[in-house]
Amino acid sequence: QVQLVESGGGLVQAGGSLRLSCAASGRAVGSYGLGWFRQAPGKEREFVALISWSGGSTYYADSVKGRFTISGDNAKNTVYLQMNSLKPEDTAVYYCADTAYSGSSYASEYDFWGQGTQVTVSS
């Protein structure tokens, strides 16, 4: 069992930046990497970004490309999501999760979800 703890959320004005962190208690057997999802009220959970444990591969949703950057610190088993040029539509609860699938953007292919951290972007 892997535990994931997100932090770094908060309230920011449009155009601002936040950095989210996801600390993992370890690595699941067969794990490919850690990803970020978000869920706004009344909407389905959507993929944001994914990074392989090797750090050599990253994947992004089209809606965040060029604004968000995912990175990792293997020594700390921690993944970060740097979010720049934030927009009100980025407002959501952000979750990190573990996947065994390369390049996956499907929530059903992720295990060991964190509790989430709220990001609110005001206009």
Side-chain angles (χ1 to χ4, degrees):
Q1 189 85 4
V2 174
Q3 293 184 331
L4 302 173
V5 179
E6 303 97 334
S7 61
L11 173 64
V12 64
Q13 289 187 331
S17 299
L18 281 175
R19 189 176 82 152
L20 306 183
S21 298
C22 172
S25 61
R27 296 188 189 182
V29 174
S31 174
Y32 171 78
L34 290 183
W36 287 96
F37 282 74
R38 65 187 182 187
Q39 188 166 20
K43 294 188 176 182
E44 293 188 354
R45 193 167 295 190
E46 66 170 348
F47 171 77
V48 175
L50 165 66
I51 186 168
S52 62
W53 281 112
S54 70
S57 298
T58 57
Y59 308 85
Y60 295 93
D62 288 343
S63 58
V64 306
K65 278 181 183 176
R67 300 188 299 124
F68 291 11
T69 302
I70 190 169
S71 62
D73 185 334
N74 281 349
K76 296 180 179 180
N77 281 338
T78 298
V79 170
Y80 306 98
L81 186 68
Q82 177 67 43
M83 306 186 295
N84 298 329
S85 302
L86 283 162
K87 305 175 182 179
E89 51 264 44
D90 293 318
T91 295
V93 178
Y94 283 71
Y95 300 89
C96 68
D98 178 278
T99 184
Y101 297 91
S102 171
S104 175
S105 61
Y106 299 102
S108 60
E109 294 181 341
Y110 284 74
D111 299 306
F112 307 118
W113 294 80
Q115 83 290 349
T117 185
Q118 176 71 47
V119 171
T120 303
V121 184
S122 63
S123 57

